Amino acid sequence: MKIKMNQISPSTQLFRFGTPFNTEAVTLNIDASSFCETENLPQFKCEKKDNTYLFTYVMNKKQCIFGLGESLGGMNKRSHNYRMWNSDDPSHTEEKDALYGSHPFFIISDENEKIGIFIDFPTEFHIDAGFTQYDILSIKVPSENFDLYIFTGNSELQIVREYLKLTGTPYMPPKWAFGFQQSRWSYPNENAVTNVADKMADAGIPCDAIYIDIDYMDNYKVFTVDKNKFADFKKFTAEMKQRGIRLIPIIDPGVRVEENYSVYEDGVKNNYFCKESDGKTDFTAAVWPGLVHFPDFLNDNARTWWGQLYHFLWDAGIDGIWNDMNEPAIFYTPRKLEAAKKKIAERTINNSWDFFEIRDSLGTLANRRDDYAEMYHLPGDGKSGIVSHENLHNLYGLNMTRATVDEFKKDFPDKRIFLLTRSSSAGAHRMAAIWMGDNQSWWSHLLLHIQMLVSLNICGFFYTGADVCGFSGNVSNELALRWMQFAIFSPLFRNHAALGTRNQEPYNFDDKTTNRMRHFIRTRYKLLPYMYTEFVNAVKTLTPLCTPTAFYDKSCQSLECQDEFFLGRSILVTPVYQPNAQGRNVYLAGNRPYLYVKLCNNGLDNFNIVQAGNFYAEYSADEVAFFIKENCGVPTGVLEEDGKTFNTVEIIAFVSGVATASYYEDDGETNDYLKNNFFQIDFTIKKEINNSFCIQATTQGNRQPEIKNYNFVIVDEKGGITRQTFSL
Ligand code: GLC
């Protein structure tokens, strides 16, 4: 077989099949004249049958698979099946193969060899990662037009960097997005939102954002606000901002079919909506507003139009947007609903009811493949004709994101956008944040949050998180506590719940639970200097913020470890995710000791030094605990009364020789940090012979520092504590 190959860099090869659709995943300029022909792919067997390509790779016993972004299957993705097809599935149980996003980048690794794979293809295909046969990894692409990239490198992190050089630098949110965020479907009006803000304040719980779900709109019509619920939206947004709270409204793609509704009328008049197969009739489906048309985000003009609609919200002082339902989720199409009704009527007349048939005729109306196949796009400038949605499905969410982000950038070129979006594909990591879609108040979904954070980070989605405490279902106190306790380490820290479920705002529990949650949330703010410093370092160095222990240690324990990760350069996070636990077994990767610390609001509460290897860590539901790596320091804020702000940074360090610690500041809102408008201080803390510590600092950037005073709490290898200060 003749295959076109392009050696993009010493470690990256592109194999091009046919004429692929430009998915926008890749940002690197690829020299079209540098292709040569080859017979084989390295390591992979390549076969073609009819219009389908099959790539197979034989895995040895120890090889793990990392990556695949938003997917089930643990941190090591081996032994599971994956289907790249963006799917609205809130009840995802273990056997499910597709979720809200498709991110087909993964690394096959053991101690000898690391290979990265990225398949750039806009619609459904399958990856069998040793599910059918444990030693066979197979990729099945039902097309003749796609790109396949193979990366090689000495480490998994080097391969991730090559992938990110190809697909772009990860998204950088504004700094406030690292604060606590509260959401519920729904806080439908001013009173409800004010009530949340008041109750948070009364309970002494800091909060940076409150989300408003679909009920704020007039009849679920996007880009409208119901005046009966928010009399003066702009004024209210400003009042909330005054209180330090950003309002984040939801926007869905479905535009309600309604005369005299300008978004609908403009869309129809200008052909901005997806079409039926005749290329003329607007495709109709039902979502929250009833019957809707879907904007054709694949079309350049429609995308620009949609992006401009957000002006309505930016003008009202809104700082962040939540784009939802953009797989797109379909409840039903009128055509299929009519067919189902007809079938039921016939059975009724003939008195030939079959329970399962009746149940399925209504129960299978949502997100149907034959509906997606009947929806058409006019991609790009529209000149190349219509394309069925079936062939571009995974790009819909990414292109809604592009619509929002591209116009925002035109209007606010220096500002960072806060955009949280549900459906995504490769490349979306450089544009916006995603959350992990609808989940359940299940212990297994807490574990999934932990695991998916790592898999998504490997695919470039550094800022992400799940609905904390679970979206559907009623959360138990214990699960809520454990989830909040973990989520202080999740870059996106948003508590969100579905309509009809138990109120799960931190103040809506018994006093004891609320007090604990206050402690967690305040500690999150305390850890913000670390989180933000490490996040920026991650973006600048193209190194995931959350990484599995298996990247650093290839022992069996480490490779099998599916429930802990390194957050940044210094912290190992080991959450409790099972009921009735007083702690958990952790695996401390490498061969050097760690410092197990517990934090209280005043700083270091207690600690012990633990040798590498297996360890049972006591970790009760009212504590904040984590491990600090040897010779590392963690900057924390010395919090003021409000539990949020600080004027002094305290660095907790575990030092046996020479430790490093960094602290970073910028304006938190703009892209000026790229023009050197930031401040970074890098400390070295050196243990001297007489057991004292020599602290030296170098600084970077042009910005005047806000923090000038640093306290050091240094624990040495024998457990002795030294306190020192440093001032600029
Ligand atoms: C979808 C979203 C969820 C939202 C709900 C109502 O299920 O994923 O977060 O609350 O719609 O808008």
Side-chain angles (χ1 to χ4, degrees), residues 182-187 440-441 443 468-482 484 495-514 517:
Q182 184 59 55
S183 183
R184 182 175 177 81
W185 170 25
S186 243
Y187 306 131
Q440 304 276 338
S441 297
W443 289 93
V468 174
C469 296
F471 174 68
S472 301
N474 295 320
V475 70
S476 68
N477 268 29
E478 193 196 3
L479 175 57
L481 264 178
R482 288 300 191 182
M484 291 288 283
N495 179 322
H496 179 52
L499 196 70
T501 60
R502 168 187 185 169
N503 293 319
Q504 63 186 37
E505 295 78 9
Y507 54 79
N508 265 322
F509 293 86
D510 60 88
D511 287 351
K512 199 163 138 193
T513 308
T514 297
M517 289 194 179

Side-chain angles (χ1 to χ4, degrees), residues 185 213-214 250 288 322 324-325 422 435 438 467 471 494 496:
W185 170 25
D213 210 314
I214 45 176
I250 199 168
W288 306 119
W322 173 23
D324 190 23
M325 305 292 275
R422 192 167 81 173
W435 86 103
D438 291 347
D467 288 348
F471 174 68
R494 181 179 80 138
H496 179 52

Side-chain angles (χ1 to χ4, degrees), residues 688-726:
E688 308 283 24
I689 308 165
N690 59 1
N691 257 356
S692 66
F693 291 88
C694 168
I695 298 172
Q696 286 177 325
T698 54
T699 61
Q700 300 177 44
N702 286 339
R703 194 178 164 81
Q704 283 307 312
E706 278 162 35
I707 301 295
K708 303 211 170 54
N709 298 319
Y710 299 87
N711 296 345
F712 284 82
V713 180
I714 305 168
V715 179
D716 64 32
E717 75 276 22
K718 295 198 184 92
I721 291 199
T722 307
R723 290 178 194 273
Q724 272 178 235
T725 55
F726 183 97

Side-chain angles (χ1 to χ4, degrees), residues 14-26:
L14 158 62
F15 298 89
R16 175 154 290 172
F17 296 83
T19 316
F21 185 85
N22 181 3
T23 64
E24 304 292 333
V26 170

Side-chain angles (χ1 to χ4, degrees), residues 1-5 13-17 38-47 53-57 117 119 139 146-150:
M1 188 185 305
K2 296 254 183 292
I3 306 169
K4 281 200 289 181
M5 193 278 276
Q13 291 177 312
L14 158 62
F15 298 89
R16 175 154 290 172
F17 296 83
T38 175
E39 298 281 323
N40 294 307
L41 258 63
Q43 323 269 6
F44 279 83
K45 187 170 151 206
C46 172
E47 293 161 279
Y53 276 91
L54 177 69
F55 304 94
T56 43
Y57 177 94
I117 316 289
I119 303 101
I139 306 165
F146 60 93
D147 279 341
L148 187 149
Y149 295 82
I150 297 191

